[in-house]
Amino acid sequence: MSVHELARSIGSSRLITDPAVMDSYRRDEAHLAEPGHPAAVMLAETAADISEALKWATAHRVPVVTRGAGTGLAGGGTAVEGCLVISTTRMRSILEVNPDDQLAVVEAGVINADISRAADEYGLMYAPDPSSFEISTIGGNIATNAGGLRCVKYGVTRDSVLGLEVVLADGRIVRTGRRTVKGVAGYDLTSLLVGSEGTLGVVTSATLKLQPKPKRAPVTVVGSFDSLRSAADAVAAVVRGGIGPSLLELIDRATLRAVDDWKRIGLEDNTAAMLIAQADGVDADAAAAAMQKHFEQAGADFVAVSQDAAEAAQLLEIRRLAYPASERLGQCLVEDVGVPRSKLPDMLESIDRAAAEHSVKIMTVAHAGDGNVHPTFVFDRTADGSVPEAVWTAADEVFRRALELGGTLTGEHGVGVLKRRWLSLELGEDSMQLHRSIKAAFDPLGILNPGKGF
Amino acid sequence: MSVHELARSIGSSRLITDPAVMDSYRRDEAHLAEPGHPAAVMLAETAADISEALKWATAHRVPVVTRGAGTGLAGGGTAVEGCLVISTTRMRSILEVNPDDQLAVVEAGVINADISRAADEYGLMYAPDPSSFEISTIGGNIATNAGGLRCVKYGVTRDSVLGLEVVLADGRIVRTGRRTVKGVAGYDLTSLLVGSEGTLGVVTSATLKLQPKPKRAPVTVVGSFDSLRSAADAVAAVVRGGIGPSLLELIDRATLRAVDDWKRIGLEDNTAAMLIAQADGVDADAAAAAMQKHFEQAGADFVAVSQDAAEAAQLLEIRRLAYPASERLGQCLVEDVGVPRSKLPDMLESIDRAAAEHSVKIMTVAHAGDGNVHPTFVFDRTADGSVPEAVWTAADEVFRRALELGGTLTGEHGVGVLKRRWLSLELGEDSMQLHRSIKAAFDPLGILNPGKGF
């Protein structure tokens, strides 16, 4: 195989082969995944570049790993040995913002937050907001079907993708989906590609649904609880009450303590968990009052309702600091189980139990309104640089418990490389076989992101 | 092949082979589709029955056509020669209604409206409401990804399906999806199966999202317009205004006249179109007032706002009578194009033009808030019993115009048999080839609903 041949067809300014420069394209944020060494990194500028690259990769049987900003937490963007890495970060054009049809057409490398900024002048927003929304690309969001904080009300990435332009493994460029709200002509290839972690094709642009921005600033409700169970009970009551919060986050004591040690937020000794909720509809005040009542009835020892934007921003900052605060304490394995919302108390208790039994430090935050729980396993690497066995044992217990509760291994991060060995537990062998058949239909040579996802 | 063999394995009480009795299982509501003669009709009672039937069908290469209540308008349920028809209408159990997780698990033959009735005591509803919701089954709704009147606010069938139990072509029973709100483990097989018109597997049960019922009774706004364009302009203004109606329907003059001739609704001479809108949120009054203003600004010659449930029901009855009123006038071909919402005026004008140019009677209603237009072509069969060529010519123009406007052949009815010959115009050859590969991955022998869908 000759990388020079590819350089000739797409232009050498778009191709990196210097190992030192390529090094920064080998990993995403899944630090526990072991990356291989790419043969080349392509900084794609057009769908045609990617088409050329995939024709070349097909001809030479070269594995292809596509990446956006590299913010993935499951390792979907991890380089494999001898691969071509395709980076979409130069494909940053917002091709269309259409207020009449409430949609946008954007290239894969556009930063998530830039879409809402472009839509803002029309009173519209792009709803899905993964924590990485200021740095992650829409292409990466699509690859993982990213969630976020406000998806409890506005839905995940898949719910906002109307159509895609995608390059197939053999280089053909195909469009899926539509610009209409509804449409049932053919199979839903769009939904199939969203969340497929680069294993079925390379997304080059997307037609996205925009939504009217909330009619008013959100009202924020914060509650602190002296037990994790009472916080989880409050969440269950809010869900059951059909209140429709625009955000409903839970932060556990270990996380709060780490943030407090770092930023001095004035944590009380008896706080076991905090809930932060918002409502942004025209009935936000009524919704906030209802949530306050549910928090109190579930046993909160402190509840406050705020209309103040600065105060709300401070509270959300505590939530956003959760992950960096964990990282200060050691190596982190960020997990992402999801359970039916009524099972949230059970899931949180099981995480606590796994931590205690295996003497592993676990710090937990949750998109509680969705039943999506992020236990972060914090540890020091062993002398030989590996992950302590107890961490994997505890993680294994957490995964199995999520499945027992009718849940999933991953709510929004994807399978990547880190969760592959558990996947068949969730899907079963017949479904795995269907997955392999679908993969073969799109990518008969198996060159697209091998060893990732399903 | 021996039907007796199948009768032995599932019990002969579940199998019909009498041609006279089978006759009522040969067609759905796509009267222009020519059905074949089934070898047998199975009245399935369990997923195990269907599994047995598909093992048998695989062994003997027998085509299988699955049907619910037979309300389909595109012919997806049309029998093919020598097939096994599987009817799911005996599979009517609502297996679970779970208010804590806001979901229901139901068998494929459950009637759509029965799900909301079962959820009602918990203040929940199953949102998608095709016009057939009192008689159509959830299995059929899933096969076509059915829309409906309130999906302008609450989404189509796919948006409410969390997971499926499905029997594969070879008889294996597989579960897709989950009970959680979010989940990204593996490909989205659930969305792929929804809308696949029985060509990828046989759905036996579904896990459905339930939603809180609207917090108040809807406010209804009705407007009459002396031109179709001003009515369409009013719709575009409502969409652009981000008002979020729970229903926004358009009825054209020809339809209104047919209803008036039948039911004497007191139609004014100069009425070219009527809009019926509803809002059901806590801000319903404000939304209704905003819609009233948009209707007036677009040139409505009459607008009324009503809080009265009986009055609203009467207005919606006009909408529901549209199709039976057309059927009184002749044979009907009910079409289902969708366009980006800003193109609604163009689409409606093009339909008028096609009707005039080819002297074909077209009566149009639209789920206008979704850009989903139902032109009904009304005609008398020719002496030899066939459809007049002018009808197909006019339909062809309407389809092509919808595609030119960035739209789709079918917003909610499906491709079935009636729209097959136009499908590649919408999808393109590369996408068609992907569709064939996916079909082969699920159904390598091609026994599932051959000649339908993609």
Side-chain angles (χ1 to χ4, degrees):
Chain A
M1 114 189 145
S2 157
V3 172
H4 300 295
E5 195 187 305
L6 177 60
R8 269 198 304 278
S9 76
I10 63 164
S12 59
S13 68
R14 301 181 187 182
L15 213 60
I16 302 169
T17 51
D18 177 344
V21 181
M22 289 199 294
D23 194 57
S24 61
Y25 293 91
R26 292 173 62 213
R27 295 170 192 82
D28 57 18
E29 289 291 319
H31 301 301
L32 302 187
E34 281 304 325
H37 299 84
V41 174
M42 181 173 81
L43 305 176
E45 298 189 4
T46 64
D49 285 349
I50 295 176
S51 172
E52 284 302 312
L54 285 170
K55 284 177 197 164
W56 172 85
T58 286
H60 299 284
R61 307 287 195 272
V62 177
V64 172
V65 178
T66 307
R67 58 182 288 136
T71 58
L73 291 162
T78 310
V80 302
E81 197 62 27
C83 74
L84 173 69
V85 170
I86 297 178
S87 164
T88 61
T89 52
R90 286 189 180 175
M91 297 175 67
R92 287 208 177 203
S93 294
I94 295 178
L95 303 169
E96 178 183 356
V97 175
N98 186 324
D100 293 338
D101 294 324
Q102 299 187 348
L103 60 81
V105 183
V106 305
E107 288 188 325
V110 169
I111 299 295
N112 174 306
D114 287 340
I115 305 167
S116 284
R117 275 192 277 270
D120 189 71
E121 66 173 294
Y122 305 106
L124 299 170
M125 66 176 187
Y126 173 68
D129 64 337
S131 296
S132 59
F133 75 120
E134 284 287 2
I135 51 171
S136 62
T137 65
I138 188 69
N141 294 174
I142 288 169
T144 54
N145 187 23
L149 272 62
R150 65 186 172 197
C151 68
V152 64
K153 178 168 179 179
Y154 295 101
V156 296
T157 299
R158 185 178 286 122
D159 301 313
S160 283
V161 179
L162 293 168
L164 297 171
E165 180 187 75
V166 60
V167 184
L168 302 180
D170 61 10
R172 281 178 297 159
I173 300 175
V174 167
R175 288 174 177 280
T176 72
R178 51 193 63 82
R179 292 170 63 90
T180 54
V181 184
K182 290 158 65 180
V184 293
Y187 299 145
D188 187 1
L189 302 186
T190 307
S191 292
L192 186 64
L193 285 157
V194 175
S196 66
E197 302 191 69
T199 64
L200 300 180
V202 179
V203 170
T204 51
S205 75
T207 303
L208 304 173
K209 195 187 293 184
L210 301 175
Q211 302 189 39
K213 282 167 54 186
K215 293 199 174 66
R216 52 167 295 177
V219 182
T220 305
V221 185
V222 60
S224 71
F225 296 82
D226 65 4
S227 87
L228 207 49
R229 176 162 276 272
S230 48
D233 286 343
V235 171
V238 168
V239 170
R240 215 166 30 233
I243 291 166
S246 58
L247 180 148
L248 182 46
E249 297 287 316
L250 179 147
I251 312 173
D252 80 344
R253 170 157 190 80
T255 308
L256 290 168
R257 185 129 69 178
V259 175
D260 191 51
D261 286 346
W262 186 18
K263 299 285 182 181
R264 303 288 160 214
I265 56 172
L267 181 66
E268 300 285 339
D269 272 352
N270 64 338
T271 301
M274 180 188 275
L275 290 180
I276 305 173
Q278 290 190 328
D280 67 4
V282 286
D283 58 340
D285 292 313
M291 289 196 281
Q292 178 178 23
K293 205 184 78 188
H294 285 304
F295 286 13
E296 284 165 357
Q297 283 175 349
D301 43 39
F302 172 80
V303 185
V305 176
S306 171
Q307 308 270 356
D308 186 79
E311 207 170 350
Q314 275 173 351
L315 284 165
L316 287 183
E317 187 62 14
I318 297 176
R319 168 65 184 84
R320 294 222 173 81
L321 287 172
Y323 184 52
S326 320
E327 280 190 308
R328 294 176 73 239
L329 303 181
Q331 293 281 323
C332 290
L333 172 66
V334 186
E335 284 309 334
D336 176 41
V337 291
V339 290
R341 292 167 292 184
S342 64
K343 306 296 186 194
L344 189 64
D346 292 342
M347 188 70 242
L348 293 173
E349 283 187 356
S350 298
I351 292 170
D352 267 5
R353 200 160 50 237
E357 269 176 25
H358 301 283
S359 305
V360 172
K361 184 169 186 63
I362 306 183
M363 303 167 66
T364 298
V365 295
H367 303 310
D370 286 324
N372 184 196
V373 182
H374 294 312
T376 296
F377 298 71
V378 185
F379 56 92
D380 297 320
R381 294 213 188 228
T382 59
D384 68 350
S386 67
V387 177
E389 203 45 45
V391 169
W392 286 122
T393 308
D396 180 76
E397 277 186 25
V398 168
F399 294 155
R400 287 173 193 270
R401 183 64 179 146
L403 296 179
E404 268 174 27
L405 292 170
T408 177
L409 295 171
T410 174
E412 58 182 10
H413 292 171
V415 174
V417 290
L418 296 184
K419 276 175 280 272
R420 278 199 113 204
R421 57 169 147 153
W422 289 275
L423 188 61
S424 66
L425 284 180
E426 177 166 344
L427 298 184
E429 190 41 47
D430 287 332
S431 176
M432 290 292 281
Q433 194 178 320
L434 266 187
H435 277 73
R436 283 189 287 269
S437 305
I438 292 169
K439 165 74 172 174
F442 279 81
D443 177 22
L445 301 176
I447 60 171
L448 294 175
N449 218 7
K452 315 292 177 58
F454 83 92
Chain B
M1 112 189 148
S2 157
V3 172
H4 299 296
E5 195 186 305
L6 177 60
R8 269 197 305 277
S9 76
I10 64 165
S12 58
S13 68
R14 301 182 188 182
L15 212 59
I16 301 169
T17 51
D18 177 344
V21 182
M22 290 199 294
D23 194 56
S24 61
Y25 293 92
R26 292 172 63 213
R27 295 170 193 82
D28 58 17
E29 287 292 318
H31 301 301
L32 303 186
E34 281 303 325
H37 299 84
V41 173
M42 180 173 81
L43 305 177
E45 297 189 4
T46 65
D49 285 348
I50 296 177
S51 172
E52 284 303 312
L54 285 171
K55 283 177 199 162
W56 173 85
T58 286
H60 299 284
R61 306 287 195 273
V62 178
V64 173
V65 178
T66 308
R67 58 181 289 136
T71 59
L73 290 162
T78 310
V80 301
E81 197 61 30
C83 73
L84 173 69
V85 170
I86 297 178
S87 165
T88 61
T89 51
R90 285 189 182 176
M91 297 175 67
R92 288 209 175 201
S93 294
I94 294 178
L95 304 169
E96 178 183 356
V97 175
N98 186 322
D100 293 338
D101 294 323
Q102 298 186 347
L103 59 80
V105 183
V106 305
E107 289 187 325
V110 170
I111 299 295
N112 175 306
D114 287 340
I115 305 168
S116 284
R117 275 191 277 269
D120 189 72
E121 67 172 293
Y122 306 107
L124 299 169
M125 66 176 187
Y126 173 68
D129 63 337
S131 296
S132 59
F133 75 120
E134 285 286 2
I135 51 171
S136 62
T137 65
I138 188 67
N141 294 175
I142 288 169
T144 54
N145 187 23
L149 272 61
R150 64 187 174 198
C151 66
V152 65
K153 177 167 181 180
Y154 296 101
V156 296
T157 299
R158 184 178 286 122
D159 301 313
S160 283
V161 180
L162 294 168
L164 296 172
E165 181 186 75
V166 59
V167 184
L168 302 179
D170 61 10
R172 282 178 297 160
I173 299 175
V174 167
R175 288 175 177 280
T176 72
R178 50 194 63 82
R179 290 170 65 89
T180 53
V181 183
K182 289 158 67 181
V184 293
Y187 299 144
D188 187 1
L189 302 186
T190 307
S191 292
L192 187 62
L193 286 158
V194 176
S196 65
E197 303 190 68
T199 64
L200 299 180
V202 178
V203 170
T204 50
S205 75
T207 303
L208 304 172
K209 195 187 293 184
L210 300 176
Q211 301 190 40
K213 282 166 57 185
K215 293 201 172 67
R216 52 167 293 178
V219 182
T220 305
V221 185
V222 61
S224 71
F225 297 81
D226 65 3
S227 87
L228 207 49
R229 175 161 278 272
S230 48
D233 286 343
V235 171
V238 168
V239 171
R240 214 164 34 231
I243 291 166
S246 57
L247 180 147
L248 181 47
E249 296 288 316
L250 179 147
I251 311 174
D252 80 345
R253 170 157 188 79
T255 308
L256 289 169
R257 185 132 66 178
V259 175
D260 190 52
D261 285 347
W262 186 18
K263 299 285 181 181
R264 304 289 159 211
I265 56 173
L267 181 66
E268 299 286 337
D269 271 353
N270 63 337
T271 300
M274 180 189 273
L275 290 180
I276 306 173
Q278 290 190 327
D280 66 4
V282 286
D283 58 340
D285 292 314
M291 289 197 281
Q292 178 178 23
K293 205 184 79 187
H294 285 303
F295 286 12
E296 285 165 356
Q297 283 174 349
D301 42 39
F302 171 79
V303 185
V305 176
S306 171
Q307 308 269 358
D308 186 78
E311 208 170 348
Q314 274 174 352
L315 284 165
L316 287 183
E317 186 63 12
I318 296 177
R319 168 65 184 85
R320 294 223 172 82
L321 287 172
Y323 184 52
S326 320
E327 279 190 308
R328 295 177 71 238
L329 303 180
Q331 292 282 319
C332 291
L333 172 65
V334 185
E335 282 310 333
D336 176 41
V337 292
V339 289
R341 291 167 292 184
S342 64
K343 305 297 187 195
L344 190 63
D346 292 343
M347 188 70 240
L348 293 173
E349 283 186 357
S350 299
I351 291 170
D352 267 4
R353 201 160 49 239
E357 269 175 26
H358 301 285
S359 305
V360 171
K361 184 169 187 62
I362 306 183
M363 302 167 67
T364 298
V365 296
H367 303 309
D370 285 324
N372 186 194
V373 182
H374 294 311
T376 297
F377 298 71
V378 185
F379 57 92
D380 297 320
R381 293 214 187 227
T382 58
D384 68 352
S386 67
V387 178
E389 202 46 44
V391 168
W392 286 122
T393 308
D396 180 76
E397 277 185 27
V398 167
F399 293 154
R400 287 173 192 270
R401 183 65 180 147
L403 296 178
E404 268 172 27
L405 292 170
T408 177
L409 296 171
T410 173
E412 58 181 10
H413 292 170
V415 174
V417 289
L418 296 184
K419 277 176 281 274
R420 279 199 111 204
R421 56 170 148 154
W422 288 274
L423 188 62
S424 66
L425 285 180
E426 177 165 345
L427 299 183
E429 190 42 48
D430 286 333
S431 177
M432 289 293 282
Q433 194 178 321
L434 266 186
H435 277 73
R436 285 189 285 269
S437 304
I438 292 169
K439 165 73 173 174
F442 279 81
D443 178 21
L445 301 176
I447 61 171
L448 294 175
N449 218 6
K452 315 291 178 58
F454 85 91

